[in-house]
Amino acid sequence: MRVPLSWLREYVDLPATETGRDVQAKLIDVGLEVETVERLGEGLKGPLVVGQVLTIEELEGFKKPIRFCTVDVGDANGTGEPQEIVCGARNFAVGDKVVVVLPGAVLPGDFKIAARKTYGKTSHGMICSGDELGMGDDGTHGIIVLPPEYEVGTDAIELLELVDEVLDIAVTPDRGYCLSMRGVARETATAYGLPLRDPALLDVPPPNASGYPVQVSDPIGCDRFTARTVGGLEPEARSPIWLTRRLQKAGMRPVSLAVDITNYVMLELGQPLHAYDRATVDGPIGVRRATAGEQLTTLDGTKRVLDEQDLVITDNRGPIGLAGVMGGANTEIAGAVTDPETGQLRGTTDVVIEAAHFDAISIARTARRHKLSSEAAKRFERGVDPEAASAAAQRTVDLLVLLGGGTAGEGVTEVVSPRGPRTLTIPADHPDKVAGVEYGRETVVRRLQQVGCDVYGQDELVVTVPSWRPDLSDPNDLAEEVIRLEGYENLPSTLPKPPAGRGLTERQRLHRRVGRVLAGAGYVEALNYPFTGSHVLDQLGIEPDDPRRSAVTLVNPLSDEEPDLRTTLIPGLLGALRRNYGRGSHDLALFETGPVFRATGDEKPASRLVVDRRPTDDEIASLDASLPQQPRRAAVVLTGAREQAGWWGEGRPAIWADAIEAGRAVAREAGVELIVRQDQHAPFHPGRCAALLALVDGEEVLVGNAGELHPRVIKAMALPERTCAMEIDLDRLERAGAGALKAPTISSFPVATQDVALIVDGSVPAADVEAALRDGAGELLESLRLFDVFTGEQTGAGKKSLAYALRFRAPDRTLTAEEATAARDAAVAAAVERTGAALRG
């Protein structure tokens, strides 16, 4: 919300010495986010005056049209003679009143004006456009043409209100009343302790039977509809300068008198309005839900197919507007047009004014559904004062009569759904308990009254909330009002004292260790949004019955293309890899840890928890039952070089084995040795995919997968060739671990190394052979490593040779050769028995 300081002073008698910066500081103290203070006209220096064009000479021989003009500027140039000016604009004619800047003046941006020779003529000044004066867009993109009543030589700086300060306020969703001058003025008056001149305090005639007919079919979507009429408007009537300048300073473009007035009143009172050309409205105005398939062309020229949940304004022909969002083009106020036959001006002369109050949620959903953000929708979805509708309609009528020469219709229509005032009960010391500061009852009552509440009672206060504050729905909201007006800076800063002996849980330590070990292995952490869509799972080749298809769909997603919460970390990492690869980083290794979300279908509706006490165990359990499964996972993706080439060697590319090793490194942080077996699992290449297994209660449990991505996935997602990935379930690893990690014992006795090569069938997994060797070797085995896999004529058809290095060590003695050999033989015997292996050679 852009708030001109000159406009704000109309409602609050601020001290004359107060600057925009001073007001900014005061408003920040009461909780408003005033982002900037723009100083309009800073550095502007005259003479800048009203002039009248006397002659125009078209200069020939140039690439663009150039005009040599003489302009009467009165005595502003010191001679009274016409001023000669060269100008390229063409939207003015002889006799028009324009804005002229003379030599010696300085325009915004330190643009100094001097006489100069151009296009073969000497230009003594400049005829100005709105952009050159920092006024903003007036819709013409050309020279400012003033109404004829202004005298030549008048100071244009004062006339156009070029010097001002504008506060730019970021209005949070709960402070929708501050999207109006009335709301900001109320906060300003409170901050300064000054009285407020409320612009909504107008004499409004009561409703009568002669008002324009209105039929509201959905009183929940529209609980108040005010209709007024004005006739006999002059088509040639233009918005006065003060009105257009206020709109421009507030960031809006002037359009026409009727539209400008409705926008002005919306900015002033916060109540969106709409004006219909009465001649184009067919019959009574109605408010209802749209019928599926109905169409409406809105004022922006877009034809829209309506949804059954859209609230629409109608006449006998059908929809004429999206309620609270944008009007329809078929009832648009017509601009003044000269009739080619009669030469008379034609345009809208009779209007119907709508001032209604619509349901905030309905308007918000309609605006998002049609991707149509308007000033009206922005206000309705944050909450509009329903009691301001009548005053806003009256203010609009008054301005149309005053500025447009119209006549107010006697009829007044008010369709109102009965509603009582909202009342809350709050202990008088509740703000004290929330803030930890003793305010006292008198302070609490005074501050609540300042925001417009009616307060009764002693120890227990009965508070009636004002109609313009729909956000005040809870005792804590009232406490917040007291605290912010008393000053957040006055709250004591007290550091919490955590109980001794409590630190990170073992689960938290595991997650931190996983991040450190992956970072130490050369992976870079990439944090991604937890949103995804089914099209990504299609690209990954995930089957319809895969658990990763059981997604949690958001009611109000940030993007229609990503309406679901992620069920796997890999798509987000692949997106980050693709973006970085496209920016020239070709050697990439990324990781992420975080939760995924799996819907079970058994989730129950969440119950609303209380805030005045700790929830009970049953209430917490009920809340947990409403949540989907959220297992925490770690994932990596890598492509390009895993080891860089240099003087030290040739380097090597990243392969599927690196992804598997990343899984092993993560598992080791949980004290788990993974079992690796061949697998087929989307999105991995069927011949380069590994299942990562761990023993949980003596049974092998799948904890993750690793490998190289399928070529179809790489093509569908535009990824580099041979991209590899790994994803592992940290919660399952934690269950497989033996609790907190124990430091390894280091024996002072020497190690005995024995190598063994076994020939097995090609279909026998190396993991099975390794498991058999470990079981057979017994407690003396310190480590086991596969260092060679060989196939060829020597092993026989369908066979392979697996060579292992076995390290034996005793904690209390030096092993003899006989003990090491016996342990090795026992390991081989177990492998022979369980896998059919044969000792090579």
Side-chain angles (χ1 to χ4, degrees):
M1 177 71 186
R2 289 173 56 85
V3 178
L5 188 59
S6 59
W7 193 357
L8 185 63
R9 290 182 183 274
E10 283 198 4
Y11 313 116
V12 184
D13 288 326
L14 295 172
T17 56
E18 289 293 283
T19 67
R21 295 288 185 190
D22 298 329
V23 177
Q24 177 189 31
K26 285 284 190 180
L27 292 179
I28 289 175
D29 287 342
V30 296
L32 286 183
E33 297 181 21
V34 185
E35 294 186 328
T36 60
V37 177
E38 183 180 354
R39 299 173 63 88
L40 302 181
E42 188 173 20
L44 177 64
K45 177 184 174 183
L48 186 72
V49 298
V50 175
Q52 185 172 24
V53 180
L54 301 178
T55 64
I56 298 177
E57 177 187 352
E58 301 288 347
L59 301 182
E60 305 291 341
F62 300 102
K63 293 182 180 180
K64 62 179 181 179
I66 298 297
R67 312 168 94 185
F68 181 66
C69 311
T70 59
V71 186
D72 180 10
V73 295
D75 295 330
N77 57 5
T79 64
E81 296 294 325
Q83 200 79 2
E84 297 179 339
I85 299 174
V86 175
C87 183
R90 308 191 66 77
N91 68 313
F92 63 95
V94 172
D96 283 345
K97 297 289 181 65
V98 293
V99 178
V100 179
V101 57
L102 301 177
V106 180
L107 295 184
D110 197 28
F111 181 34
K112 299 178 180 178
I113 304 300
R116 63 190 183 97
K117 190 168 184 179
T118 179
Y119 297 102
K121 300 284 186 178
T122 300
S123 181
H124 300 272
M126 190 167 69
I127 303 175
C128 297
S129 67
D131 289 336
E132 290 164 339
L133 298 179
M135 295 172 57
D137 180 21
D138 61 357
T140 65
H141 300 288
I143 293 302
I144 301 171
V145 179
L146 299 171
E149 61 264 24
Y150 295 108
E151 293 185 6
V152 169
T154 302
D155 183 3
I157 295 178
E158 183 177 350
L159 174 67
L160 299 177
E161 302 177 16
L162 297 178
V163 179
D164 201 351
E165 293 183 278
V166 178
L167 286 72
D168 194 350
I169 303 175
V171 179
T172 53
D174 62 328
R175 308 286 288 278
Y177 67 97
C178 284
L179 286 172
S180 67
M181 294 299 302
R182 180 193 186 201
V184 176
R186 177 173 281 105
E187 293 296 317
T188 305
T190 302
Y192 278 91
L194 296 172
L196 168 70
R197 286 189 291 273
D198 190 345
L201 296 180
L202 301 174
D203 291 330
V204 179
N208 53 53
S210 61
Y212 196 92
V214 174
Q215 300 170 352
V216 178
S217 303
D218 190 335
I220 296 178
C222 176
D223 57 12
R224 181 182 290 267
F225 196 106
T226 301
R228 300 287 300 274
T229 58
V230 176
L233 292 173
E234 300 172 0
E236 68 275 11
R238 296 173 53 181
S239 300
I241 289 177
W242 66 265
L243 178 59
T244 60
R245 287 297 294 133
R246 286 188 173 181
L247 291 177
Q248 288 174 328
K249 292 176 186 179
M252 302 190 76
R253 181 173 63 85
V255 179
S256 63
L257 178 62
V259 175
D260 291 349
I261 287 175
T262 58
N263 286 335
Y264 177 83
V265 175
M266 177 184 68
L267 291 172
E268 184 178 51
L269 301 181
Q271 168 67 52
L273 301 109
H274 191 71
Y276 301 94
D277 187 334
R278 186 170 183 175
T280 61
V281 179
D282 183 7
I285 290 177
V287 183
R288 61 169 172 83
R289 298 288 172 177
T291 303
E294 276 189 308
Q295 295 185 352
L296 170 68
T297 301
T298 46
L299 288 173
D300 59 356
T302 302
K303 185 180 240 184
R304 304 182 186 277
V305 178
L306 303 180
D307 187 88
E308 292 179 341
Q309 296 301 313
D310 291 335
L311 196 66
V312 292
I313 310 298
T314 64
D315 63 5
N316 290 336
R317 299 165 298 176
I320 60 173
L322 268 177
V325 180
M326 185 173 286
N330 54 352
T331 57
E332 182 178 8
I333 299 294
V337 179
T338 302
D339 189 316
E341 297 181 0
T342 64
Q344 295 180 343
L345 279 177
R346 288 187 177 180
T348 298
T349 57
D350 299 333
V351 298
V352 180
I353 300 160
E354 165 206 310
H357 184 262
F358 301 110
D359 176 62
I361 295 177
S362 176
I363 300 306
R365 288 178 176 171
T366 296
R368 283 159 179 73
R369 190 180 296 120
H370 293 280
K371 297 181 173 61
L372 185 57
S373 178
S374 66
E375 291 292 331
K378 185 192 304 182
R379 285 164 173 80
F380 276 123
E381 65 189 20
R382 286 166 171 79
V384 168
D385 181 6
E387 302 297 329
S390 300
Q394 182 63 46
R395 177 72 164 142
T396 304
V397 169
D398 293 343
L399 288 173
L400 284 172
V401 171
L402 175 66
L403 304 177
T407 303
E410 295 182 357
V412 178
T413 302
E414 286 273 7
V415 180
V416 181
S417 297
R419 65 159 68 193
R422 290 179 296 116
T423 301
L424 300 174
T425 301
I426 175 176
D429 61 349
H430 183 66
D432 301 9
K433 294 178 179 179
V434 173
V437 176
E438 187 174 345
Y439 293 123
R441 179 189 175 280
E442 291 185 3
T443 299
V444 171
V445 171
R446 176 171 56 86
R447 289 304 190 183
L448 292 178
Q449 289 174 339
Q450 283 180 331
V451 300
C453 297
D454 291 330
V455 186
Y456 304 96
Q458 293 298 320
D459 295 337
E460 197 80 10
L461 302 179
V462 179
V463 182
T464 301
V465 176
S467 58
W468 59 83
R469 291 299 302 271
D471 58 303
L472 301 182
S473 59
D474 186 270
N476 289 311
D477 297 330
L478 300 178
E480 181 185 2
E481 293 301 297
V482 175
I483 295 168
R484 75 176 178 88
L485 294 181
E486 283 295 303
Y488 290 122
E489 71 278 5
N490 296 324
L491 293 177
S493 299
T494 305
L495 291 176
K497 296 180 180 179
R502 294 185 183 180
L504 297 177
T505 64
E506 183 55 34
R507 184 170 185 263
Q508 292 169 327
R509 291 192 185 98
L510 171 60
H511 296 163
R512 294 196 178 188
R513 290 200 304 270
V514 167
R516 284 195 294 267
V517 73
L518 290 175
Y523 292 87
V524 177
E525 186 171 17
L527 300 177
N528 300 291
Y529 288 116
F531 310 119
T532 187
S534 59
H535 67 284
V536 177
L537 302 181
D538 295 337
Q539 292 175 333
L540 293 177
I542 295 176
E543 298 294 333
D545 58 348
D546 192 291
R548 287 171 289 180
R549 290 281 185 176
S550 302
V552 177
T553 301
L554 300 173
V555 175
N556 188 20
L558 294 179
S559 168
D560 292 339
E561 295 182 356
E562 295 181 331
D564 302 330
L565 291 175
R566 65 188 179 192
T567 57
T568 168
L569 298 179
I570 288 180
L573 282 174
L574 291 178
L577 182 141
R578 182 175 59 245
R579 287 191 298 274
N580 284 275
Y581 192 89
R583 288 165 173 76
S585 299
H586 295 166
D587 303 322
L588 294 164
L590 308 177
F591 84 92
E592 182 176 11
T593 60
V596 299
F597 307 86
R598 299 281 181 89
T600 63
D602 298 329
E603 293 85 4
K604 301 177 181 178
S607 58
R608 186 171 182 178
L609 298 182
V610 297
V611 296
D612 59 345
R613 58 173 173 80
R614 184 188 184 280
T616 65
D617 292 342
D618 290 341
E619 288 173 334
I620 295 175
S622 173
L623 185 64
D624 289 339
S626 69
L627 300 175
Q629 294 181 352
Q630 300 180 52
R632 194 166 181 85
R633 298 197 161 198
V636 305
V637 294
L638 60 163
T639 189
R642 185 65 181 134
E643 295 179 4
Q644 296 290 338
W647 57 266
W648 52 84
E650 294 182 354
R652 66 174 183 84
I655 60 173
W656 55 268
D658 294 303
I660 295 174
E661 180 55 31
R664 291 184 188 275
V666 170
R668 282 194 291 268
E669 293 302 314
V672 176
E673 281 295 329
L674 290 181
I675 302 169
V676 180
R677 299 188 188 278
Q678 187 175 5
D679 195 10
Q680 293 189 13
H681 185 77
F684 297 102
H685 191 296
R688 302 187 183 115
C689 174
L692 307 180
L693 305 150
L695 290 176
V696 179
D697 298 329
E699 295 184 5
E700 290 186 3
V701 174
L702 181 70
V703 296
N705 288 91
E708 182 181 309
L709 296 183
H710 198 290
R712 284 198 298 268
V713 174
I714 289 176
K715 181 178 180 181
M717 301 189 73
L719 298 170
E721 293 184 1
R722 313 304 288 269
T723 297
C724 301
M726 180 279 298
E727 185 171 21
I728 196 166
D729 192 315
L730 297 180
D731 292 341
R732 291 183 181 179
L733 278 181
E734 187 177 5
R735 290 196 296 271
L741 290 180
K742 296 180 180 179
T745 57
I746 300 175
S747 175
S748 59
F749 297 96
V751 65
T753 302
Q754 297 273 358
D755 293 345
V756 60
L758 301 174
I759 296 177
V760 296
D761 287 337
S763 61
V764 175
D768 290 350
V769 178
E770 182 176 327
L773 290 173
R774 286 186 182 278
D775 293 343
E779 295 181 354
L780 294 179
L781 181 65
E782 182 179 79
S783 67
L784 174 67
R785 180 173 62 89
L786 174 66
F787 67 86
D788 185 54
V789 179
F790 175 75
T791 57
E793 295 180 0
Q794 296 91 330
T795 61
K799 302 285 186 177
K800 61 183 177 183
S801 172
L802 304 176
Y804 292 91
L806 294 81
R807 291 167 57 92
F808 300 98
R809 195 193 313 254
D812 56 351
R813 67 188 188 280
T814 298
L815 292 178
T816 64
E818 291 77 11
E819 288 177 308
T821 300
R824 186 202 67 171
D825 292 343
V828 171
V832 170
E833 179 182 354
R834 288 163 53 175
T835 66
L839 191 62
R840 184 177 176 187

